[in-house]
Amino acid sequence: GYNSNSALVPPLRFNDDLTTQGPPRSQIVVDDGVAYITAGNFLYAYDLAAQNELWRINLGQLRGCTPTIKAGRIYVGTNYGHNTYYCISKDGVIIWQTPLRRIGTSAGLAVDTQNVFINSEADGRMYVLDAADGSIVIPAVVDSSYYTRAIGFLNTGIVGPAATGGNSKPAIWNDYVIYAGVLGRIAAYHRQTLTQVWSRNLGLLAGILDSPCIMNDRIYLGGAIHAFCLNASDGSLVWQRLLGLRCTTPAALPGRVILGSGTELVALNDETGAIVWRNGSAPYSTPAIAGDYVYAVNAHPQIGLQAFNIETGEIVWTANQRTNSYFRDCGPTIAYGKVLVPDSQGAAMLIYGSPTASMPRLIPPFTKEDYEAAMADEDTYTPKKPKSHHWRKKHIFARFFKHWLIQAFG
């Protein structure tokens, strides 16, 4: 969630979009100048510099599984029939595919140099595939006789020291892979031995629906009504903060943890969990940070992407150029001086960037030709000397006088 690019300063300008067959299903992931997004049944690759689609591949029903990039390969899962997990080359060729029983893929997966780690939405178990060929390393890291199924409205998985309850994307920290789930279970496994290191139960109502955010040795989580901070080395609880309904995955940087909660964007102190500021008027997506600004998508259909001052929480810019759809789990992505936003109303991805330093500030009144010339050649265009504001008054008077003459004398 944090990007140190201080050159990305609002107000931003709409640059381009990617029109797809069907709404977006995932967070946008960027690697080596190429953006990857799942929309409808397709995985798309988009060149940010050339501003054109490179390729698309039909994989079946893609329901929220964010692509993961590792060592020049793209890993993604589908939700069509029995789940199928794919490894795809950067030119859109399938390297391997592995079918699994219906385990749910809404959270995505994590990959290291050796394994692909999957958090099952259906049974709350951990599945591990070989990253090289897709073979199943461990079908499910649990002893199924040890667990009892939860009862009640949160019945979406199996509770137990190794099971998490699914949904959230695993996170990798040092030698650990960390899972969190809707049933409040969070556990860490050693990535090489696949043995459990620690496990913690945050409570059945913790409701961890989104992925962990890890900064230094701290794990930050958004739950059903709380934000949590845990020690990554042993799982001990550092703090928890009661906020509002449905907290998102946090974005973190030294001194701040920022997340959507209820109808606000909230900034917390990273060490204590104390509320630093809160602002907003509708539910917000998972935020992203660039320099001194926080970007998040507002749920209101006429608002869309907004930028907040990271110190004060003041809303400094709103992208009301077009209507964005709202994705609580899929917020903006910041890369290569751009903000990429999932959108389902006419395009899967909207791209915003800062005006260049040479972009002239047009002083009204200016003509349509002035604006179009500036947009077409922002590096060389020099605006005409602004006309006096008295010109507008004279122009209006002249039109009125001409109209009076026609009416009076035909």
Side-chain angles (χ1 to χ4, degrees):
Y2 173 63
N3 188 305
S4 61
N5 186 351
S6 59
L8 191 60
V9 177
L12 305 184
R13 193 182 63 190
F14 175 72
N15 291 160
D16 196 14
D17 60 26
L18 170 65
T19 302
T20 60
Q21 296 181 4
R25 301 283 188 175
S26 73
Q27 185 87 11
I28 300 166
V29 178
V30 179
D31 181 67
D32 196 23
V34 178
Y36 301 92
I37 185 173
T38 60
N41 294 336
F42 291 86
L43 170 66
Y44 291 82
Y46 180 92
D47 190 311
L48 291 176
Q51 296 187 350
N52 66 275
E53 180 186 320
L54 297 177
W55 51 261
R56 68 177 71 178
I57 182 170
N58 191 337
L59 300 177
Q61 185 179 351
L62 295 162
R63 189 174 64 86
C65 187
T66 295
T68 298
I69 315 296
K70 184 70 176 181
R73 293 183 171 188
I74 306 150
Y75 299 86
V76 69
T78 72
N79 196 49
Y80 180 72
H82 293 295
N83 296 97
T84 302
Y85 290 83
Y86 292 90
C87 175
I88 302 168
S89 68
K90 298 190 79 172
D91 56 0
V93 177
I94 296 176
I95 299 172
W96 57 254
Q97 63 186 72
T98 300
L100 294 174
R101 62 191 181 88
R102 187 183 296 276
I103 64 174
T105 62
S106 64
L109 38 83
V111 184
D112 65 8
T113 56
Q114 193 172 2
N115 294 318
V116 178
F117 302 96
I118 303 166
N119 192 5
S120 166
E121 178 183 350
D123 63 11
R125 303 180 181 187
M126 178 176 74
Y127 292 79
V128 183
L129 306 180
D130 188 295
D133 59 14
S135 59
I136 300 174
V137 177
I138 298 180
V141 185
V142 293
D143 176 2
S144 59
S145 64
Y146 184 82
Y147 306 111
T148 57
R149 187 169 295 277
I151 299 174
F153 71 98
L154 290 179
N155 181 14
T156 59
I158 298 175
V159 292
T164 64
N167 269 354
S168 77
K169 180 178 179 178
I172 291 175
W173 176 77
N174 294 343
D175 291 331
Y176 298 169
V177 56
I178 297 169
Y179 290 77
V182 67
L183 297 178
R185 177 73 62 180
I186 180 168
Y189 294 83
H190 197 281
R191 291 192 289 125
Q192 279 70 47
T193 64
L194 301 177
T195 55
Q196 183 179 292
V197 180
W198 56 258
S199 174
R200 184 172 185 85
N201 190 349
L202 296 174
L204 183 63
L205 298 181
I208 308 298
L209 294 172
D210 296 301
S211 303
C213 170
I214 302 179
M215 181 177 66
N216 300 326
D217 61 346
R218 294 288 187 265
I219 303 170
Y220 300 98
L221 297 158
I225 57 175
H226 289 88
F228 300 92
C229 175
L230 282 72
N231 190 311
S233 60
D234 60 12
S236 58
L237 182 66
V238 179
W239 54 258
Q240 71 180 61
R241 174 64 58 182
L242 178 63
L243 294 174
L245 291 175
R246 187 67 166 85
C247 300
T248 68
T249 294
L253 76 165
R256 293 283 188 276
V257 175
I258 302 172
L259 70 164
S261 175
T263 58
E264 299 174 308
L265 200 67
V266 183
L268 306 175
N269 181 284
D270 64 333
E271 293 294 334
T272 66
I275 296 175
V276 179
W277 55 258
R278 57 200 314 168
N279 194 7
S281 57
Y284 282 88
S285 70
T286 295
I289 303 171
D292 297 328
Y293 300 94
V294 183
Y295 296 89
V297 179
N298 187 301
H300 193 286
Q302 300 300 326
I303 296 179
L305 182 66
Q306 290 186 311
F308 295 74
N309 183 295
I310 198 168
E311 295 297 330
T312 65
E314 176 190 3
I315 298 174
V316 297
W317 173 75
T318 298
N320 53 9
Q321 179 169 354
R322 61 168 59 200
T323 300
N324 295 337
S325 66
Y326 161 61
F327 283 86
R328 194 176 189 91
D329 303 326
C330 302
T333 297
I334 297 174
Y336 295 90
K338 308 288 185 183
V339 180
L340 314 178
V341 183
D343 172 63
S344 68
Q345 301 196 13
M349 180 172 68
L350 304 178
I351 305 174
Y352 297 90
S354 293
T356 62
S358 58
M359 182 67 191
R361 181 178 294 277
L362 298 178
I363 303 175
F366 55 87
T367 67
K368 178 181 178 182
E369 289 72 24
D370 286 334
Y371 179 82
E372 291 177 345
M375 295 298 104
D377 192 1
E378 59 188 38
D379 292 325
T380 60
Y381 174 73
T382 302
K384 300 174 184 178
K385 183 178 179 181
K387 298 176 181 179
S388 167
H389 288 283
H390 294 297
W391 169 86
R392 181 180 295 273
K393 297 178 182 179
K394 294 177 181 178
H395 180 66
I396 295 173
F397 177 78
R399 291 183 61 184
F400 173 79
F401 185 67
K402 179 179 178 181
H403 177 75
W404 179 80
L405 288 174
I406 292 174
Q407 294 294 323
F409 300 102

Tab-separated table of all heavy atoms in Angstrom, residues 84-124:
chain	number	residue	atom	x	y	z
A	84	THR	N	-9.262	-24.161	-10.708
A	84	THR	CA	-8.048	-24.435	-11.471
A	84	THR	C	-7.074	-23.311	-11.249
A	84	THR	O	-7.441	-22.129	-11.348
A	84	THR	CB	-8.357	-24.588	-12.969
A	84	THR	OG1	-9.305	-25.645	-13.150
A	84	THR	CG2	-7.094	-24.914	-13.756
A	85	TYR	N	-5.838	-23.671	-10.955
A	85	TYR	CA	-4.784	-22.678	-10.747
A	85	TYR	C	-3.819	-22.724	-11.918
A	85	TYR	O	-3.447	-23.812	-12.387
A	85	TYR	CB	-4.075	-22.926	-9.413
A	85	TYR	CG	-4.985	-22.595	-8.259
A	85	TYR	CD1	-5.916	-23.519	-7.802
A	85	TYR	CD2	-4.965	-21.334	-7.676
A	85	TYR	CE1	-6.787	-23.199	-6.783
A	85	TYR	CE2	-5.824	-21.012	-6.655
A	85	TYR	CZ	-6.738	-21.949	-6.215
A	85	TYR	OH	-7.616	-21.622	-5.215
A	86	TYR	N	-3.436	-21.530	-12.388
A	86	TYR	CA	-2.633	-21.418	-13.598
A	86	TYR	C	-1.304	-20.736	-13.305
A	86	TYR	O	-1.223	-19.840	-12.454
A	86	TYR	CB	-3.363	-20.578	-14.652
A	86	TYR	CG	-4.602	-21.224	-15.226
A	86	TYR	CD1	-5.847	-21.017	-14.634
A	86	TYR	CD2	-4.539	-22.015	-16.368
A	86	TYR	CE1	-6.997	-21.592	-15.163
A	86	TYR	CE2	-5.682	-22.588	-16.906
A	86	TYR	CZ	-6.902	-22.380	-16.298
A	86	TYR	OH	-8.031	-22.941	-16.828
A	87	CYS	N	-0.307	-21.145	-14.058
A	87	CYS	CA	0.954	-20.416	-14.158
A	87	CYS	C	1.099	-19.998	-15.609
A	87	CYS	O	1.045	-20.843	-16.522
A	87	CYS	CB	2.123	-21.292	-13.719
A	87	CYS	SG	3.742	-20.514	-13.950
A	88	ILE	N	1.267	-18.709	-15.852
A	88	ILE	CA	1.246	-18.148	-17.208
A	88	ILE	C	2.505	-17.331	-17.429
A	88	ILE	O	2.951	-16.587	-16.546
A	88	ILE	CB	-0.013	-17.269	-17.395
A	88	ILE	CG1	-1.273	-18.116	-17.142
A	88	ILE	CG2	-0.052	-16.630	-18.769
A	88	ILE	CD1	-2.537	-17.313	-17.024
A	89	SER	N	3.073	-17.447	-18.609
A	89	SER	CA	4.253	-16.657	-18.947
A	89	SER	C	3.852	-15.213	-19.208
A	89	SER	O	2.672	-14.903	-19.395
A	89	SER	CB	4.943	-17.230	-20.190
A	89	SER	OG	4.121	-17.046	-21.332
A	90	LYS	N	4.833	-14.322	-19.263
A	90	LYS	CA	4.540	-12.890	-19.423
A	90	LYS	C	4.092	-12.537	-20.834
A	90	LYS	O	3.687	-11.397	-21.084
A	90	LYS	CB	5.751	-12.059	-19.014
A	90	LYS	CG	6.118	-12.248	-17.555
A	90	LYS	CD	7.151	-11.267	-17.076
A	90	LYS	CE	6.533	-9.914	-16.785
A	90	LYS	NZ	7.490	-8.989	-16.129
A	91	ASP	N	4.150	-13.516	-21.761
A	91	ASP	CA	3.579	-13.278	-23.085
A	91	ASP	C	2.233	-13.980	-23.259
A	91	ASP	O	1.730	-14.116	-24.371
A	91	ASP	CB	4.554	-13.698	-24.188
A	91	ASP	CG	4.998	-15.143	-24.052
A	91	ASP	OD1	4.553	-15.813	-23.112
A	91	ASP	OD2	5.793	-15.591	-24.898
A	92	GLY	N	1.629	-14.444	-22.143
A	92	GLY	CA	0.272	-14.957	-22.179
A	92	GLY	C	0.134	-16.426	-22.519
A	92	GLY	O	-0.946	-16.867	-22.928
A	93	VAL	N	1.191	-17.228	-22.329
A	93	VAL	CA	1.150	-18.662	-22.629
A	93	VAL	C	1.035	-19.443	-21.316
A	93	VAL	O	1.789	-19.190	-20.372
A	93	VAL	CB	2.409	-19.106	-23.401
A	93	VAL	CG1	2.399	-20.608	-23.634
A	93	VAL	CG2	2.509	-18.353	-24.727
A	94	ILE	N	0.099	-20.393	-21.266
A	94	ILE	CA	-0.079	-21.211	-20.065
A	94	ILE	C	1.088	-22.183	-19.928
A	94	ILE	O	1.365	-22.978	-20.829
A	94	ILE	CB	-1.408	-21.974	-20.107
A	94	ILE	CG1	-2.591	-20.992	-20.096
A	94	ILE	CG2	-1.523	-22.938	-18.924
A	94	ILE	CD1	-3.946	-21.652	-20.236
A	95	ILE	N	1.785	-22.134	-18.781
A	95	ILE	CA	2.908	-23.026	-18.500
A	95	ILE	C	2.406	-24.301	-17.841
A	95	ILE	O	2.799	-25.399	-18.209
A	95	ILE	CB	3.955	-22.314	-17.621
A	95	ILE	CG1	4.507	-21.087	-18.356
A	95	ILE	CG2	5.075	-23.271	-17.218
A	95	ILE	CD1	5.404	-20.211	-17.507
A	96	TRP	N	1.551	-24.157	-16.836
A	96	TRP	CA	0.892	-25.316	-16.232
A	96	TRP	C	-0.446	-24.905	-15.652
A	96	TRP	O	-0.698	-23.725	-15.421
A	96	TRP	CB	1.770	-25.998	-15.176
A	96	TRP	CG	2.262	-25.156	-14.010
A	96	TRP	CD1	3.526	-24.694	-13.824
A	96	TRP	CD2	1.508	-24.713	-12.865
A	96	TRP	NE1	3.617	-23.980	-12.656
A	96	TRP	CE2	2.400	-23.995	-12.031
A	96	TRP	CE3	0.195	-24.869	-12.445
A	96	TRP	CZ2	2.005	-23.408	-10.828
A	96	TRP	CZ3	-0.213	-24.289	-11.248
A	96	TRP	CH2	0.686	-23.570	-10.455
A	97	GLN	N	-1.297	-25.881	-15.429
A	97	GLN	CA	-2.581	-25.665	-14.777
A	97	GLN	C	-2.890	-26.866	-13.895
A	97	GLN	O	-2.621	-28.004	-14.270
A	97	GLN	CB	-3.691	-25.421	-15.784
A	97	GLN	CG	-3.970	-26.576	-16.731
A	97	GLN	CD	-4.982	-26.189	-17.784
A	97	GLN	OE1	-4.690	-25.423	-18.699
A	97	GLN	NE2	-6.193	-26.717	-17.658
A	98	THR	N	-3.416	-26.582	-12.710
A	98	THR	CA	-3.701	-27.634	-11.734
A	98	THR	C	-5.125	-27.484	-11.230
A	98	THR	O	-5.462	-26.461	-10.627
A	98	THR	CB	-2.723	-27.558	-10.549
A	98	THR	OG1	-1.388	-27.724	-11.031
A	98	THR	CG2	-3.043	-28.633	-9.525
A	99	PRO	N	-5.987	-28.477	-11.483
A	99	PRO	CA	-7.354	-28.417	-10.944
A	99	PRO	C	-7.383	-28.879	-9.491
A	99	PRO	O	-6.669	-29.802	-9.106
A	99	PRO	CB	-8.117	-29.387	-11.843
A	99	PRO	CG	-7.085	-30.383	-12.287
A	99	PRO	CD	-5.775	-29.641	-12.362
A	100	LEU	N	-8.188	-28.216	-8.681
A	100	LEU	CA	-8.430	-28.622	-7.301
A	100	LEU	C	-9.938	-28.688	-7.101
A	100	LEU	O	-10.710	-28.142	-7.894
A	100	LEU	CB	-7.817	-27.635	-6.312
A	100	LEU	CG	-6.288	-27.533	-6.285
A	100	LEU	CD1	-5.870	-26.409	-5.351
A	100	LEU	CD2	-5.658	-28.843	-5.843
A	101	ARG	N	-10.375	-29.323	-6.029
A	101	ARG	CA	-11.801	-29.336	-5.752
A	101	ARG	C	-12.255	-27.925	-5.385
A	101	ARG	O	-11.418	-27.041	-5.157
A	101	ARG	CB	-12.110	-30.317	-4.617
A	101	ARG	CG	-11.463	-29.970	-3.296
A	101	ARG	CD	-11.621	-31.141	-2.324
A	101	ARG	NE	-11.028	-30.857	-1.034
A	101	ARG	CZ	-11.662	-30.262	-0.050
A	101	ARG	NH1	-12.888	-29.832	-0.222
A	101	ARG	NH2	-11.066	-30.066	1.107
A	102	ARG	N	-13.537	-27.703	-5.347
A	102	ARG	CA	-14.063	-26.349	-5.138
A	102	ARG	C	-13.644	-25.827	-3.759
A	102	ARG	O	-14.187	-26.206	-2.738
A	102	ARG	CB	-15.591	-26.347	-5.240
A	102	ARG	CG	-16.202	-24.937	-5.190
A	102	ARG	CD	-17.707	-25.038	-5.227
A	102	ARG	NE	-18.171	-25.611	-6.473
A	102	ARG	CZ	-18.359	-24.913	-7.588
A	102	ARG	NH1	-18.082	-23.626	-7.614
A	102	ARG	NH2	-18.804	-25.494	-8.681
A	103	ILE	N	-12.649	-24.941	-3.753
A	103	ILE	CA	-12.161	-24.409	-2.482
A	103	ILE	C	-12.291	-22.898	-2.401
A	103	ILE	O	-12.010	-22.304	-1.382
A	103	ILE	CB	-10.689	-24.811	-2.233
A	103	ILE	CG1	-9.776	-24.200	-3.297
A	103	ILE	CG2	-10.550	-26.310	-2.193
A	103	ILE	CD1	-8.304	-24.438	-3.021
A	104	GLY	N	-12.704	-22.248	-3.505
A	104	GLY	CA	-12.873	-20.796	-3.473
A	104	GLY	C	-11.581	-20.077	-3.753
A	104	GLY	O	-10.517	-20.471	-3.291
A	105	THR	N	-11.644	-19.000	-4.532
A	105	THR	CA	-10.424	-18.301	-4.910
A	105	THR	C	-10.535	-16.799	-4.738
A	105	THR	O	-9.774	-16.046	-5.328
A	105	THR	CB	-10.089	-18.575	-6.394
A	105	THR	OG1	-11.158	-18.075	-7.200
A	105	THR	CG2	-9.899	-20.041	-6.663
A	106	SER	N	-11.480	-16.338	-3.942
A	106	SER	CA	-11.729	-14.895	-3.921
A	106	SER	C	-10.574	-14.098	-3.342
A	106	SER	O	-10.532	-12.891	-3.471
A	106	SER	CB	-13.004	-14.599	-3.122
A	106	SER	OG	-12.826	-14.965	-1.773
A	107	ALA	N	-9.633	-14.774	-2.682
A	107	ALA	CA	-8.571	-14.030	-2.016
A	107	ALA	C	-7.266	-13.992	-2.792
A	107	ALA	O	-6.405	-13.191	-2.508
A	107	ALA	CB	-8.310	-14.627	-0.643
A	108	GLY	N	-7.072	-14.856	-3.748
A	108	GLY	CA	-5.794	-14.905	-4.433
A	108	GLY	C	-4.830	-15.829	-3.721
A	108	GLY	O	-5.217	-16.656	-2.900
A	109	LEU	N	-3.555	-15.676	-4.025
A	109	LEU	CA	-2.560	-16.606	-3.519
A	109	LEU	C	-1.235	-15.881	-3.333
A	109	LEU	O	-1.066	-14.745	-3.753
A	109	LEU	CB	-2.411	-17.783	-4.486
A	109	LEU	CG	-2.483	-17.456	-5.990
A	109	LEU	CD1	-1.158	-16.974	-6.502
A	109	LEU	CD2	-2.964	-18.654	-6.771
A	110	ALA	N	-0.308	-16.554	-2.659
A	110	ALA	CA	1.040	-16.021	-2.461
A	110	ALA	C	2.040	-17.009	-3.041
A	110	ALA	O	1.808	-18.222	-3.029
A	110	ALA	CB	1.306	-15.787	-0.975
A	111	VAL	N	3.164	-16.499	-3.537
A	111	VAL	CA	4.150	-17.338	-4.203
A	111	VAL	C	5.539	-16.970	-3.703
A	111	VAL	O	5.869	-15.777	-3.588
A	111	VAL	CB	4.091	-17.161	-5.740
A	111	VAL	CG1	5.060	-18.117	-6.429
A	111	VAL	CG2	2.678	-17.374	-6.259
A	112	ASP	N	6.350	-17.981	-3.409
A	112	ASP	CA	7.775	-17.732	-3.182
A	112	ASP	C	8.554	-18.473	-4.262
A	112	ASP	O	7.978	-18.903	-5.266
A	112	ASP	CB	8.198	-18.131	-1.756
A	112	ASP	CG	8.078	-19.622	-1.478
A	112	ASP	OD1	7.813	-20.398	-2.430
A	112	ASP	OD2	8.248	-20.032	-0.319
A	113	THR	N	9.844	-18.635	-4.105
A	113	THR	CA	10.649	-19.264	-5.150
A	113	THR	C	10.360	-20.752	-5.301
A	113	THR	O	10.728	-21.364	-6.300
A	113	THR	CB	12.149	-19.079	-4.841
A	113	THR	OG1	12.416	-19.610	-3.531
A	113	THR	CG2	12.517	-17.606	-4.866
A	114	GLN	N	9.668	-21.321	-4.330
A	114	GLN	CA	9.469	-22.763	-4.310
A	114	GLN	C	8.011	-23.185	-4.419
A	114	GLN	O	7.692	-24.126	-5.135
A	114	GLN	CB	10.062	-23.327	-3.013
A	114	GLN	CG	10.223	-24.832	-2.973
A	114	GLN	CD	11.003	-25.270	-1.736
A	114	GLN	OE1	11.389	-24.443	-0.908
A	114	GLN	NE2	11.212	-26.567	-1.616
A	115	ASN	N	7.118	-22.496	-3.730
A	115	ASN	CA	5.736	-22.955	-3.595
A	115	ASN	C	4.715	-21.870	-3.912
A	115	ASN	O	5.012	-20.671	-3.858
A	115	ASN	CB	5.479	-23.460	-2.172
A	115	ASN	CG	6.273	-24.716	-1.845
A	115	ASN	OD1	6.378	-25.626	-2.658
A	115	ASN	ND2	6.853	-24.747	-0.649
A	116	VAL	N	3.497	-22.340	-4.213
A	116	VAL	CA	2.313	-21.494	-4.344
A	116	VAL	C	1.412	-21.808	-3.155
A	116	VAL	O	1.033	-22.965	-2.944
A	116	VAL	CB	1.557	-21.768	-5.649
A	116	VAL	CG1	0.305	-20.901	-5.746
A	116	VAL	CG2	2.460	-21.536	-6.855
A	117	PHE	N	1.070	-20.780	-2.362
A	117	PHE	CA	0.284	-20.969	-1.143
A	117	PHE	C	-1.135	-20.458	-1.388
A	117	PHE	O	-1.326	-19.320	-1.821
A	117	PHE	CB	0.910	-20.214	0.025
A	117	PHE	CG	2.332	-20.638	0.305
A	117	PHE	CD1	3.393	-19.916	-0.224
A	117	PHE	CD2	2.606	-21.742	1.086
A	117	PHE	CE1	4.703	-20.288	0.026
A	117	PHE	CE2	3.909	-22.131	1.344
A	117	PHE	CZ	4.959	-21.403	0.818
A	118	ILE	N	-2.114	-21.302	-1.082
A	118	ILE	CA	-3.518	-20.994	-1.354
A	118	ILE	C	-4.302	-21.078	-0.057
A	118	ILE	O	-4.193	-22.060	0.686
A	118	ILE	CB	-4.109	-21.979	-2.381
A	118	ILE	CG1	-3.277	-21.961	-3.679
A	118	ILE	CG2	-5.563	-21.645	-2.671
A	118	ILE	CD1	-3.574	-23.130	-4.594
A	119	ASN	N	-5.109	-20.061	0.206
A	119	ASN	CA	-5.985	-20.045	1.378
A	119	ASN	C	-7.386	-20.411	0.917
A	119	ASN	O	-8.018	-19.671	0.176
A	119	ASN	CB	-5.966	-18.666	2.024
A	119	ASN	CG	-6.606	-18.654	3.390
A	119	ASN	OD1	-6.994	-19.675	3.928
A	119	ASN	ND2	-6.719	-17.469	3.968
A	120	SER	N	-7.884	-21.569	1.325
A	120	SER	CA	-9.168	-22.050	0.856
A	120	SER	C	-10.318	-21.272	1.487
A	120	SER	O	-10.406	-21.174	2.708
A	120	SER	CB	-9.326	-23.536	1.188
A	120	SER	OG	-10.672	-23.929	1.022
A	121	GLU	N	-11.188	-20.756	0.651
A	121	GLU	CA	-12.372	-20.042	1.141
A	121	GLU	C	-13.430	-21.004	1.662
A	121	GLU	O	-14.179	-20.689	2.576
A	121	GLU	CB	-12.950	-19.192	0.017
A	121	GLU	CG	-14.211	-18.429	0.382
A	121	GLU	CD	-14.771	-17.672	-0.792
A	121	GLU	OE1	-14.092	-17.574	-1.822
A	121	GLU	OE2	-15.896	-17.190	-0.667
A	122	ALA	N	-13.472	-22.211	1.089
A	122	ALA	CA	-14.558	-23.134	1.414
A	122	ALA	C	-14.311	-23.912	2.703
A	122	ALA	O	-15.235	-24.127	3.479
A	122	ALA	CB	-14.768	-24.102	0.252
A	123	ASP	N	-13.083	-24.369	2.925
A	123	ASP	CA	-12.857	-25.196	4.100
A	123	ASP	C	-11.804	-24.637	5.052
A	123	ASP	O	-11.477	-25.256	6.065
A	123	ASP	CB	-12.484	-26.627	3.704
A	123	ASP	CG	-11.178	-26.715	2.916
A	123	ASP	OD1	-10.457	-25.701	2.861
A	123	ASP	OD2	-10.886	-27.791	2.370
A	124	GLY	N	-11.255	-23.454	4.758
A	124	GLY	CA	-10.343	-22.806	5.677
A	124	GLY	C	-8.988	-23.466	5.782
A	124	GLY	O	-8.268	-23.230	6.748
